[in-house]
Amino acid sequence: MFQRLSFQKKIFYMASIFFICTALGMSIIFYVYTYGKNLRDIEKFYIQTNQTIASDMDYLLADMEKLTTQLVANETVQNVFLEAEKDADPDRLYFDHNIEQKARLQKECIALNTPIDNKGIINIYRSPNLFFTNNIGKEIPERIQAQLRDCFEFKNVENGESRVVFAGPHEDPWQLSRDGSLFISILRPLVATYSGRNTVATIEMSESYTKIEDICRLSEQFKDMELLIVDSESGETIYPCGGCSEEKANYYLQFMDLAEDAIEGIKSFDGRKMMLNVQKNERSGWVIFAMQPVDAYNQPLINMTALLFSLLVVFALGMLFAIFYATNKLTMPVRDLKRAVRSVTLENIDIHMDNSTNNEIASLQQVFSEILGRLRESANELALSQSAEYEAKIMALQAQINPHFLYNSLMAISAAGMENGNKKVELMCGQLSELFRYAANELRNVTIGAELDNVSVYLEFMKWRYLDTVEYSVDVDDRIQDVVIPKLLFQPVVENCFVYAFHSILPPLRIQIRGEIKDGRWIVEIRDNGAGVSEEEMRRLETLKKNVEEALSHKSFGGHLEIGGKALINIFARLYLLYGDGTVFAMENGDDSGFCVTLGGIWEENGL
């Protein structure tokens, strides 16, 4: 294969292969390095994003815890609640009729929880009648008294209860916020550190849940990133609120021990492949799961790969063009000589080339001129000989049809003359005359319409011999009527039906002719209901067809073009000479019985 290539193509292919292998090797090394670096950068940024979310969350909770710690350490707050314990009336709220004490607490809360810091809502309470809030003016006494009966509160610290409780998203149980907003809260005991160290009240610090949502918006910088925050102790979902079932939260808690500085591939609750990073908040026991589908996580790497591949393709195409241009310049004198040699004819053997041709090519030019001069006579003789042989073969192929046709025609007239009177013979002779006139004219090519008319006359003629046992139909697309084909292309196929197909079957004898346009080719199908062709005969026909096709495609006539009296192969040869590789020719037996021959060639709108 490589030896058949031109000199320029050999140089071009060898240089291109060397360049492509070198470029591919360097590209692989660069890609591996870049891919690894980008993967590490993506992992680092992904982990840092989740760590930032965890850090912001911890800062928010630490700030809330710090404020409650300051309240616990505040002597004024402790004293107010110690004095409030002496109020023996449980049916009314203490601070509603002790305005001075309420003002003292409000003053301390303002000092700690300034408007600039915007720390949220502070509630300090103890059942059954002690409740203070810095959200002054929004209390509903009946609701507060009812809530004080059921609310969580710390007792003495000796009972082993946690000193700090973090509460996930919830509505305000005191109804100080009446718009249905959600809050997160920290609860801790107010211990009388200056007097007995008893728990005198419960401090509740609440922040709007929107602060959690604002922190979690950092995840939006990653496409399709899913953020889940779960309380590891209670299994409660902190974020997103109401967007995660208890079963799903427990499923992800099994991954809470993964390293915080690593990304792991897991199967998500719904079965998807996900990349997971876990951050834990030791203060609250909340675990932050940052998850992203593998496809989305790898998308930057895919984009980088596509970019590198595009650059490689562009660079390779540029280099291939440069190599082609260089090899084209180097081999141009050789191609000039090749074109000059191709322009030589038997009448003109001079080789004309540009004056820029180098000395080596000029020497070759002189040698070729001398060789061509010596071969002129033998070339002319060979060309004439091949031309004559070619014409003789074509004529021989077309002439092979007539002996069979004449013999069958005479047999039909003889049988009909013995059976009937002169009128029938007269009609048959007229039909036979028309058939002979069509076969004997000098035209080599006719239209499909004319050929089908001749076939119809032939079939009508054969009906005289076979009487009503012969049935035929012709259904051909009008668009192919004017297509030009070799004369006597269809009639020998129809004749074969009477010679071979019908000798071993009982009537009726059917012949169907159908023509159409299919896949850019005209197709004519001739089908009978005869005995078909044996497998051995079919293989012999296919072998002959293959040999004829090979001989005609390479113009290697003579001994290779052995048709041996086979009418079907004769037809194929004449059709192949007209259409070449565009020829349609098929032979096949029917499913139950009969034989079908399909002929065709390239079809054009305006014919051939």
Side-chain angles (χ1 to χ4, degrees):
M1 180 67 180
F2 185 76
Q3 297 298 328
R4 297 180 181 179
L5 297 176
S6 65
F7 182 57
Q8 181 205 354
K9 288 183 178 179
K10 288 180 180 179
I11 297 176
F12 174 73
Y13 288 150
M14 292 176 65
S16 298
I17 291 172
F18 175 77
F19 161 73
I20 290 174
C21 291
T22 304
L24 189 60
M26 295 178 64
S27 299
I28 291 174
I29 295 172
F30 178 74
Y31 175 76
V32 171
Y33 170 77
T34 307
Y35 184 92
K37 184 177 183 301
N38 277 271
L39 180 61
R40 290 190 295 271
D41 291 343
I42 292 173
E43 290 180 351
K44 182 178 179 181
F45 186 64
Y46 191 86
I47 294 171
Q48 285 179 345
T49 299
N50 199 23
Q51 287 176 341
T52 300
I53 293 173
S55 176
D56 291 347
M57 192 80 64
D58 186 67
Y59 178 80
L60 174 65
L61 297 178
D63 205 25
M64 295 171 65
E65 188 176 9
K66 177 182 177 181
L67 180 61
T68 58
T69 302
Q70 291 174 337
L71 287 171
V72 170
N74 190 287
E75 185 177 2
T76 300
V77 174
Q78 293 182 27
N79 291 335
V80 168
F81 274 85
L82 286 173
E83 293 174 7
E85 286 183 341
K86 301 173 183 178
D87 191 314
D89 189 354
D91 296 329
R92 62 176 182 172
L93 294 175
Y94 173 79
F95 291 107
D96 284 352
H97 61 277
N98 289 275
I99 303 302
E100 182 180 349
Q101 297 287 66
K102 185 175 183 180
R104 290 176 63 192
L105 290 178
Q106 183 68 21
K107 181 178 179 182
E108 296 300 325
C109 287
I110 291 175
L112 297 175
N113 187 29
T114 62
I116 297 178
D117 293 333
N118 191 21
K119 292 297 189 300
I121 301 175
I122 299 173
N123 300 322
I124 308 174
Y125 59 87
R126 180 173 178 176
S127 62
N129 65 338
L130 299 180
F131 179 82
F132 166 80
T133 179
N134 68 337
N135 207 359
I136 301 299
K138 298 185 178 181
E139 306 96 318
I140 302 176
E142 295 79 7
R143 172 60 186 172
I144 291 175
Q145 285 180 315
Q147 181 63 20
L148 282 172
R149 288 193 294 268
D150 301 321
C151 66
F152 169 84
E153 60 179 331
F154 289 96
K155 305 302 182 181
N156 291 330
V157 295
E158 288 80 8
N159 59 13
E161 292 185 85
S162 173
R163 297 189 61 83
V164 179
V165 174
F166 291 86
H170 60 275
E171 293 184 359
D172 180 14
W174 311 102
Q175 292 189 356
L176 302 178
S177 174
R178 303 173 190 177
D179 56 0
S181 300
L182 295 178
F183 296 87
I184 58 169
S185 301
I186 288 181
L187 295 92
R188 72 184 309 152
L190 177 60
V191 180
T193 57
Y194 299 98
S195 175
R197 302 191 62 82
N198 292 326
T199 301
V200 296
T202 297
I203 300 174
E204 178 187 77
M205 172 68 192
S206 298
E207 284 283 8
S208 174
Y209 185 70
T210 57
K211 291 192 175 182
I212 298 290
E213 294 175 331
D214 291 341
I215 292 172
C216 293
R217 284 196 181 95
L218 277 174
S219 63
E220 295 177 0
Q221 57 189 309
F222 279 94
K223 180 182 178 182
D224 299 328
M225 185 175 183
E226 181 181 349
L227 206 63
L228 179 65
I229 304 176
V230 181
D231 190 327
S232 59
E233 295 181 1
S234 65
E236 178 187 9
T237 300
I238 306 301
Y239 179 88
C241 182
C244 179
S245 64
E246 182 179 354
E247 183 181 4
K248 181 177 179 180
N250 289 331
Y251 174 82
Y252 285 110
L253 282 175
Q254 66 178 308
F255 303 110
M256 66 178 291
D257 293 329
L258 294 179
E260 295 185 352
D261 58 348
I263 295 178
E264 299 288 341
I266 66 164
K267 182 177 289 187
S268 68
F269 182 74
D270 56 5
R272 293 180 297 164
K273 293 181 179 180
M274 306 286 280
M275 302 302 292
L276 173 68
N277 175 254
V278 179
Q279 299 292 326
K280 294 177 281 290
N281 186 282
E282 301 297 339
R283 187 184 308 276
S284 61
W286 294 354
V287 185
I288 303 172
F289 300 93
M291 295 166 286
Q292 190 176 30
V294 172
D295 292 341
Y297 180 81
N298 291 330
Q299 190 60 47
L301 298 175
I302 295 173
N303 294 339
M304 181 205 70
T305 302
L307 177 61
L308 291 178
F309 179 76
S310 300
L311 293 175
L312 177 62
V313 170
V314 172
F315 180 66
L317 290 176
M319 287 302 299
L320 290 177
F321 176 79
I323 294 172
F324 177 80
Y325 179 79
T327 55
N328 182 62
K329 280 293 186 180
L330 289 172
T331 59
M332 185 176 294
V334 178
R335 292 198 306 278
D336 288 341
L337 177 60
K338 183 178 179 180
R339 282 194 295 268
V341 172
R342 284 183 173 178
S343 66
V344 173
T345 63
L346 293 176
E347 293 76 17
N348 179 21
I349 63 171
D350 293 332
I351 300 177
H352 298 285
M353 296 183 62
D354 297 336
N355 294 330
S356 60
T357 302
N358 57 36
N359 295 333
E360 292 80 2
I361 303 301
S363 300
L364 287 175
Q365 174 188 357
Q366 184 178 356
V367 173
F368 276 118
S369 297
E370 293 173 358
I371 293 173
L372 290 172
R374 291 193 298 267
L375 294 177
R376 173 181 289 179
E377 290 185 7
S378 58
N380 285 334
E381 291 175 0
L382 180 61
L384 290 173
S385 174
Q386 289 183 343
S387 177
E389 183 181 5
Y390 178 77
E391 283 293 324
K393 282 295 182 181
I394 296 298
M395 295 300 294
L397 289 174
Q398 187 164 342
Q400 286 179 6
I401 299 173
N402 295 331
H404 286 299
F405 176 71
L406 180 59
Y407 173 80
N408 288 323
S409 300
L410 291 175
M411 289 296 295
I413 293 174
S414 175
M418 292 175 63
E419 182 182 351
N420 296 296
N422 292 336
K423 184 64 176 176
K424 184 174 181 180
V425 172
E426 179 182 355
L427 291 173
M428 293 181 68
C429 287
Q431 293 171 339
L432 182 59
S433 175
E434 185 174 347
L435 292 172
F436 275 138
R437 187 181 304 111
Y438 179 81
N441 65 46
E442 296 182 356
L443 296 175
R444 291 186 182 179
N445 297 322
V446 297
T447 63
I448 288 180
E451 182 73 2
L452 290 174
D453 290 341
N454 181 66
V455 170
S456 297
V457 172
Y458 174 78
L459 287 169
E460 289 295 328
F461 180 80
M462 295 305 293
K463 289 183 70 172
W464 291 112
R465 177 178 178 183
Y466 292 91
L467 300 178
D468 294 334
T469 61
V470 176
E471 301 175 2
Y472 72 92
S473 62
V474 180
D475 182 14
V476 177
D477 193 326
D478 291 339
R479 293 179 293 173
I480 69 173
Q481 294 283 348
D482 295 330
V483 173
V484 177
I485 60 174
K487 186 174 67 176
L488 295 177
L489 194 68
F490 301 151
Q491 185 269 339
V493 181
V494 175
E495 183 180 354
N496 271 358
C497 298
F498 295 97
V499 175
Y500 301 108
F502 296 150
H503 67 277
S504 61
I505 67 168
L506 296 175
L509 313 177
R510 297 191 180 91
I511 297 176
Q512 297 177 329
I513 302 175
R514 188 172 62 88
E516 61 179 346
I517 297 171
K518 185 177 180 181
D519 298 331
R521 285 172 168 76
W522 64 266
I523 302 293
V524 173
E525 182 183 276
I526 302 174
R527 185 184 299 273
D528 63 55
N529 67 333
V533 176
S534 67
E535 293 185 4
E536 181 180 358
E537 180 64 17
M538 183 69 79
R539 285 194 296 270
R540 185 159 45 248
L541 289 172
E542 291 291 345
T543 300
L544 284 172
K545 172 178 173 287
K546 182 178 179 181
N547 293 338
V548 170
E549 181 178 357
E550 182 177 357
L552 294 178
S553 62
H554 295 89
K555 299 292 188 296
S556 54
F557 305 109
H560 295 87
L561 191 57
E562 296 294 340
I563 293 177
K566 297 294 183 180
L568 290 177
I569 304 304
N570 182 320
I571 291 168
F572 167 72
R574 294 191 293 133
L575 197 60
Y576 191 87
L577 286 172
L578 181 61
Y579 288 107
D581 292 337
T583 302
V584 177
F585 185 88
M587 303 171 290
E588 61 179 352
N589 286 315
D591 295 335
D592 298 325
S593 63
F595 186 67
C596 178
V597 177
T598 304
L599 308 174
I602 298 173
W603 179 80
E604 297 179 0
E605 187 67 28
N606 56 353
L608 293 174

